[in-house]
Amino acid sequence: MAENPEQDGARMSFDGAMSYVDYLALDPILGASRPLSNAHDEMLFIIQHQTSELWMRLALHELDAARGALQTADFPPVFKMLTRVARIFEQLNGAWDVLRTMTPSEYTAFREDLGQSSGFQSHQYRLIEYILGNRNLAMMKVHEHRKDLHAMLQQELTQPSLYEVAVDHLGRGLGLNLPAPVRDAPHTAQPAIEDAWAQIYRDPQAHWTLYELAEKLVDLEDYFRRWRFNHVTTVERIIGFKRGTGGTSGVQYLRRMLEVELFPELWNVRGQL
């Protein structure tokens, strides 16, 4: 017997009512996947990047809220949101597995249609880096042609990074006057901050909230690093060592990005324990 959802009480007519398609605005979202070539695999390439941008939008939503909650010392939702961001990057990692089903021959069939567009031009990715504390101002130039996006990044630079807020709590929790991470530059390791985190790790029970905050940050960066590494291996697998479409050195550029640490003291402190 064929199932009839209407008999189970399901609404079947949506004339004049909000439907699933309406609520999710699926018409413009699905209509935005428009290949420029006749190559079969271009649809995969477009959707992989579009869905990644949607996940990054959620990551930004969570990170901004986490920073706000951390500024008011409302730790439980901070921990929940940072855990969610780490899982978002786990999803982003899985996307590379799908993209790696595309061979170099298949990518070559539509690569010229990309023009000079490149993932390193993603303003959302740049915002994520800026919120976390990796504030490379040289990358602002990429977004100058879009005044709205450039202004969004400039606004972020006026705010403390998530890690700056975390270090502020660390100092106050231990009664220390710690150097604040530089607001408009990539954060570099500070011995005083590393020593302060060492105090937390040597006596977790006495500083459990800061201990948990530290591990949530490490967990987030762990997944973030895996995403960067999978990006490198995927690009190398598909284009080898050719230049990227945006003009970068491609794999060599991405490998240098692997050396960037978001929260260096939290990684360095492990050697002290």
Side-chain angles (χ1 to χ4, degrees):
M1 180 178 178
E3 181 182 353
N4 186 346
E6 189 171 15
Q7 292 179 347
D8 195 40
R11 180 168 184 161
M12 304 296 284
S13 176
F14 288 88
D15 185 22
M18 181 184 291
S19 70
Y20 177 83
V21 171
D22 299 327
Y23 176 70
L24 295 178
L26 289 182
D27 288 335
I29 290 175
L30 298 179
S33 303
R34 298 188 298 271
L36 298 179
S37 74
N38 293 321
H40 173 80
D41 292 271
E42 189 180 358
M43 182 66 83
L44 161 62
F45 189 84
I46 290 172
I47 289 179
Q48 193 274 340
H49 287 83
Q50 287 179 332
T51 53
S52 293
E53 290 291 335
L54 285 172
W55 280 120
M56 284 191 278
R57 183 173 184 179
L58 179 58
L60 286 166
H61 174 71
E62 299 294 338
L63 288 170
D64 188 55
R67 175 171 54 188
L70 189 57
Q71 287 173 318
T72 61
D74 191 7
F75 288 96
V78 172
F79 299 152
K80 174 67 179 291
M81 288 182 278
L82 293 182
T83 297
R84 183 173 291 168
V85 175
R87 297 303 173 266
I88 288 170
F89 274 95
E90 185 176 20
Q91 290 290 325
L92 287 167
N93 265 315
W96 294 125
D97 292 336
V98 182
L99 191 62
R100 280 196 288 267
T101 64
M102 183 170 61
T103 69
S105 302
E106 291 162 346
Y107 179 55
T108 301
F110 65 87
R111 188 175 191 238
E112 289 187 2
D113 293 281
L114 303 182
Q116 292 185 304
S117 64
S118 171
F120 91 95
Q121 299 157 8
S122 167
H123 73 281
Q124 290 200 121
Y125 173 73
R126 191 115 305 113
L127 270 173
I128 289 173
E129 285 199 311
Y130 282 9
I131 288 178
L132 294 177
N134 182 28
R135 297 180 165 184
N136 181 353
L137 300 192
M139 297 306 299
M140 291 283 289
K141 189 172 181 61
V142 177
H143 308 284
E144 285 181 347
H145 70 292
R146 283 285 303 271
K147 294 187 183 304
D148 54 337
L149 304 183
H150 194 263
M152 191 185 302
L153 290 163
Q154 284 185 316
Q155 171 60 27
E156 172 54 37
L157 292 173
T158 68
Q159 301 184 65
S161 70
L162 179 72
Y163 190 53
E164 183 179 345
V165 180
V167 169
D168 181 60
H169 277 293
L170 174 64
R172 283 191 280 130
L174 295 175
L176 299 173
N177 185 21
L178 295 176
V182 178
R183 186 165 294 187
D184 58 354
H187 178 61
T188 55
Q190 302 289 326
I193 297 176
E194 181 180 330
D195 290 342
W197 284 122
Q199 290 188 50
I200 302 302
Y201 276 90
R202 288 195 179 100
D203 193 357
Q205 296 299 329
H207 310 286
W208 189 265
T209 299
L210 287 169
Y211 177 65
E212 188 170 1
L213 175 61
E215 282 299 290
K216 292 298 183 184
L217 291 171
V218 169
D219 195 42
L220 191 163
E221 183 167 359
D222 192 350
Y223 279 97
F224 189 75
R225 284 184 177 191
R226 294 184 211 181
W227 180 79
R228 278 179 165 167
F229 178 78
N230 276 318
H231 189 184
V232 174
T233 55
T234 301
V235 170
E236 185 173 353
R237 177 170 175 164
I238 295 175
I239 71 168
F241 289 87
K242 289 188 288 190
R243 282 200 165 269
T245 49
T248 70
S249 56
V251 169
Q252 289 91 337
Y253 170 79
L254 293 173
R255 283 182 175 175
R256 290 198 301 273
M257 295 304 101
L258 292 177
E259 299 173 2
V260 175
E261 292 182 315
L262 299 173
F263 319 125
E265 295 92 352
L266 285 171
W267 294 93
N268 296 346
V269 74
R270 277 135 171 86
Q272 283 199 38
L273 305 175

